């Protein structure tokens, strides 16, 4: 004799399957809408932004004497606003790419990536005094381009955070544990309150910027998404005015 429970489960199964199919279809539709919106943001917004910036520059260079000091100030504010929009467009693209681009795994030397990116930052900021300490031979499995993006996002944050320190210090250490590298990237920058950590891991959530410049606040969110897609984890800790540490795990 068939039990009442098993009969009820079979009767409910078609309804569950139909609901699941509807949910999947709705999710696919939302993903398609998000990709379409990202394409609009990525391409269609750049043309009017370029026009705003170009004509504003022409106003200042060709009609500066007519505009006067106050008029030039207004145009420079327009340029600043356009630059912020352009930064947000670029940030939106970075967030979308972190979840969309395919992963092509191979061996990646993180030590080499960290050293190369820090060398670039030092060359572009020759007046900065920053000491670095990089653990050698940290080789993981992952997509080279995506992991380079992780390194760039994290080091850009550390470089900005140490702007007011003389010297600034940035360290990269790692240890092998159960088939993974546990990596720590630390700095002695402005840090943050521990309660801020969950918010700072979300996209477009900005913390204090020591140089006063606008930052969209997507670096940690982009890095975390890419690391998660590689089967790893990323967490942050910090102390206000005493530095921050990012811990990420990646397969060896």
């Amino acid at each position: 004799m068939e039990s009442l429970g098993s009969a009820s489960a079979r009767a409910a199964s078609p309804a569950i399957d139909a609901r699941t199919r509807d949910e999947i279809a709705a999710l696919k539709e939302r993903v398609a809408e998000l990709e379409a919106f990202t394409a609009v943001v990525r391409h269609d917004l750049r043309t009017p932004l370029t026009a705003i910036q170009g004509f504003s520059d022409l106003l200042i260079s060709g009609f500066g004497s007519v505009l006067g000091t106050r008029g030039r100030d207004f145009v420079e504010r327009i340029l600043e606003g356009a630059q912020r929009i352009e930064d947000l467009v670029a940030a939106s693209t970075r967030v979308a790419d972190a979840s969309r681009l395919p992963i092509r795994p191979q061996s990646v030397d993180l030590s080499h990536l960290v050293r190369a990116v820090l060398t670039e930052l030092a060359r572009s900021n020759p007046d900065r005094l920053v000491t670095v300490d990089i653990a050698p031979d940290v080789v993981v499995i992952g997509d080279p381009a995506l992991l380079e993006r992780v390194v760039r996002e994290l080091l850009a944050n550390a470089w900005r955070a140490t702007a007011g320190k003389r010297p600034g210090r940035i360290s990269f250490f790692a240890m092998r544990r159960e088939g993974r590298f546990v990596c720590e990237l630390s700095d002695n920058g402005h840090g943050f309150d521990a309660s801020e950590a969950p918010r700072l891991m979300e996209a477009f959530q900005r913390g204090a910027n020591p140089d006063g410049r606008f930052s969209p606040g997507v670096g940690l969110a982009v890095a975390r998404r890419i690391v998660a897609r590689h089967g790893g984890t990323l967490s942050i800790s910090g102390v206000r005015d005493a530095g921050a540490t990012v811990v990420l795990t990646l397969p060896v």
Side-chain angles (χ1 to χ4, degrees):
M1 177 181 292
E2 184 178 51
S3 69
L4 181 60
S6 60
S8 300
R10 271 212 314 275
S13 179
I16 293 173
D17 290 343
R19 186 168 68 248
T20 301
R21 285 194 298 270
D22 289 344
E23 290 174 351
I24 292 173
L27 181 59
K28 287 182 177 179
E29 184 177 355
R30 291 178 183 176
V31 169
E33 290 173 351
L34 179 59
E35 289 180 347
F37 174 74
T38 301
V40 170
V41 169
R42 188 194 303 259
H43 301 292
D44 296 352
L45 275 181
R46 293 193 182 275
T47 300
L49 276 175
T50 301
I52 291 171
Q53 292 169 323
F55 284 115
S56 296
D57 284 334
L58 287 173
L59 276 173
I60 291 177
S61 61
F63 302 91
S65 60
V66 177
L67 291 170
T69 303
R70 191 176 184 191
R72 286 196 301 272
D73 180 61
F74 289 159
V75 177
E76 287 169 358
R77 292 190 186 191
I78 292 171
L79 281 170
E80 182 181 340
Q83 184 61 54
R84 285 197 176 198
I85 296 173
E86 186 171 334
D87 291 343
L88 287 169
V89 170
S92 299
T93 299
R94 284 154 55 201
V95 172
D97 287 348
S99 301
R100 181 181 60 85
L101 293 177
I103 293 177
R104 298 180 175 88
Q106 62 187 68
S107 295
V108 179
D109 188 337
L110 281 188
S111 300
H112 172 75
L113 282 179
V114 170
R115 188 175 296 106
V117 173
L118 283 173
T119 299
E120 284 183 24
L121 290 168
R123 285 174 179 168
S124 62
N125 298 264
D127 295 333
R128 289 283 303 276
L129 179 60
V130 179
T131 63
V132 299
D133 195 354
I134 304 170
D137 303 324
V138 181
V139 180
V140 299
I141 298 298
D143 184 274
L146 289 175
L147 291 182
E148 181 181 353
R149 182 166 295 185
V150 170
V151 170
R152 288 188 179 277
E153 298 287 2
L154 298 180
L155 288 178
N157 284 345
W159 194 264
R160 284 193 298 268
T162 56
K165 302 291 184 176
R166 292 192 66 84
R169 290 195 305 273
I170 297 176
S171 303
F172 175 72
F173 296 111
M175 66 176 67
R176 292 178 68 125
R177 183 184 299 163
E178 299 177 355
R180 292 174 176 269
F181 263 122
V182 180
C183 307
E184 288 191 5
L185 181 66
S186 302
D187 65 69
N188 69 332
H190 59 80
F192 55 87
D193 293 332
S195 61
E196 291 185 276
R199 181 180 65 82
L200 294 175
M201 295 287 282
E202 300 298 326
F204 302 103
Q205 297 296 318
R206 294 182 289 275
N209 201 342
D211 58 13
R213 290 184 298 177
F214 171 77
S215 173
V218 300
L220 286 172
V222 167
R224 184 178 67 166
R225 291 187 187 196
I226 293 174
V227 170
R229 292 184 63 203
H230 282 75
T233 61
L234 187 149
S235 61
I236 59 173
S237 60
V239 177
R240 177 69 66 189
D241 298 323
T245 298
V246 180
V247 178
L248 61 150
T249 64
L250 286 167
V252 175

